[in-house]
Amino acid sequence: MIYQVKADIVKNVRVSSKIYRMELAMPKISSLVKPGQFIHLRINNSFDPLLRRPFSVNKVIKNKKGKVINICVLYEIVGKGTSLLAEKCSGDILDVLGPLGNGFAFNDALLKNKQIILVAGGMGIAPLLFLVERLKDKRTKNKPVIFIGSRTKRDLVCLDEFKKAGCIVKISTDDGSLGFKGYVSELVENFLTNCQPLIPNPYIYACGPSPMLKKVQSIASEYNLKGQVSLDEMMGCGIGACLGCVVKAKTSGAGEDDNQPVYKRICKDGPVFDIQDIQWED
Ligand SMILES: Cc1cc2nc3c(=O)[nH]c(=O)nc-3n(C[C@H](O)[C@H](O)[C@H](O)COP(=O)(O)OP(=O)(O)OC[C@H]3O[C@@H](n4cnc5c(N)ncnc54)[C@H](O)[C@@H]3O)c2cc1C
Ligand code: FES
């Protein structure tokens, strides 16, 4: 069920120079939402920006009775829509559509005795925090290890929350201002090269820019690892109608014509796909 609601902004707090976390009151959507799903926000009532903007669910907030009532999104200012969003105050109202997309699979059968490895590039951390919160009760092999990559240490957020959720946190920055200097995919590869014999059954969840996800796919092939990726691409309608978000996938998954590429909609068939599903452009 997809709802369109008017949600009160509870908080809109700056957490780093260009990154904000907004908490929205929307009990209907909150009670249904799963990690990896997103909400589609109408920024204002004017025609500019015309299209809604998609944001992953970063966290859910419960009331005193333990009922999930609010949703937080973590967003970076990159253009007009996100700049306007950053100016919103508590008490303002946003038109929200959700929950949208498929979300991550994380059932017991899939994850039993697995070592969970999470890979986040930039704002790719947003859905992974919600995921690790829900993974807490799973019978997995060891503590999840999250690899977080960002341009510089100033853009690193949520580190304490990942630690609190029981993760081992490994960091890379492009400029070397904190952790490993280089791309997060290199950090993951180094880790697997040095440690893989010691960690049987790694299972990957990754979210971030396409070049990172492409690299993670090739690492997964090399080490024969399974996992899922969440894509963060430009979107139009968000509900599967405009075909503005299609990606080339390797198979239909239906077993017929498995060598023929098919096109999948990120908003409806994704944003989460099997790690080997996407046929990335060269
Ligand atoms: C399923 C999904 C979940 C997302 N979750 C989050 C999230 O949790 N936090 C977050 O900060 N962002 C997230 N995004 C990206 C976010 O939707 C965009 O950053 C936002 O729509 C930009 O709006 P804008 O008006 O500020 O920028 P625009 O003015 O539309 O664009 C500014 C610049 O950003 C680029 N851009 C816009 N959208 C994207 C995109 N999706 N991917 C790459 N480049 C883009 C444009 O090409 C342009 O260069 C998500 C996107 C998708 C598809
Ligand atoms: S954004 Fe319209 S089909 Fe996906």
Side-chain angles (χ1 to χ4, degrees), residues 18-224:
K18 285 190 156 192
I19 300 174
Y20 285 68
R21 182 180 267 152
M22 178 182 278
E23 181 178 338
L24 291 150
M26 46 174 137
K28 269 188 190 164
I29 295 178
S30 308
S31 64
L32 296 176
V33 77
K34 294 187 297 183
Q37 288 190 301
F38 65 96
I39 54 174
H40 221 191
L41 302 183
R42 180 128 192 242
I43 304 290
N44 55 28
N45 291 328
S46 79
F47 289 110
D48 187 22
L50 181 64
L51 297 174
R52 289 173 184 271
R53 297 292 193 260
F55 296 95
S56 304
V57 175
N58 172 238
K59 248 173 109 153
V60 292
I61 308 286
K62 294 178 179 169
N63 66 10
K64 284 182 185 150
K65 291 179 180 162
K67 188 168 181 282
V68 176
I69 47 164
N70 296 350
I71 277 176
C72 295
V73 292
L74 186 76
Y75 64 95
E76 181 177 19
I77 300 180
V78 295
K80 181 147 193 186
T82 42
S83 302
L84 290 168
L85 213 53
E87 290 170 11
K88 306 277 180 192
C89 302
S90 62
D92 287 350
I93 289 173
L94 286 181
D95 186 298
V96 184
L97 206 58
L100 298 174
N102 55 356
F104 292 108
F106 57 101
N107 54 57
D108 285 338
L110 183 73
L111 294 180
K112 194 170 176 201
N113 294 327
K114 295 281 194 322
Q115 166 65 56
I116 294 171
I117 292 179
L118 304 120
V119 189
M123 295 313 294
I125 51 162
L128 297 182
L129 185 64
F130 185 21
L131 177 66
V132 296
E133 284 291 339
R134 290 285 163 96
L135 286 176
K136 271 185 197 161
D137 304 328
K138 299 280 160 201
R139 284 170 294 146
T140 53
K141 192 94 185 146
N142 294 309
K143 283 183 167 189
V145 183
I146 180 156
F147 296 86
I148 303 177
S150 79
R151 288 172 296 245
T152 168
K153 76 172 181 187
R154 285 190 308 279
D155 298 334
L156 286 163
V157 292
C158 302
L159 301 186
D160 287 341
E161 286 164 289
F162 279 109
K163 285 180 193 159
K164 231 170 144 182
C167 296
I168 296 168
V169 178
K170 309 243 175 222
I171 291 164
S172 72
T173 48
D174 297 355
D175 65 0
S177 51
L178 194 68
F180 172 79
K181 183 176 191 296
Y183 292 136
V184 69
S185 49
E186 294 171 64
L187 184 60
V188 174
E189 202 161 16
N190 293 347
F191 176 82
L192 289 170
T193 309
N194 297 325
C195 311
Q196 212 228 353
L198 305 173
I199 45 163
N201 289 326
Y203 189 90
I204 299 180
Y205 290 100
C207 183
S210 301
M212 183 201 97
L213 297 181
K214 183 179 172 188
K215 187 64 193 164
V216 168
Q217 184 186 67
S218 94
I219 293 171
S221 302
E222 192 183 331
Y223 288 87
N224 199 20

Side-chain angles (χ1 to χ4, degrees), residues 40 234-246 265-268:
H40 221 191
M234 304 284 280
M235 227 170 235
C237 68
I239 52 167
C242 72
L243 304 185
C245 65
V246 289
R265 297 158 300 179
I266 295 175
C267 66
K268 185 97 178 166

Side-chain angles (χ1 to χ4, degrees), residues 248-253 256-263 279:
K248 214 186 214 182
K250 286 181 185 164
T251 68
S252 64
E256 294 169 11
D257 293 333
D258 268 357
N259 293 323
Q260 292 298 315
V262 291
Y263 290 90
Q279 195 162 322

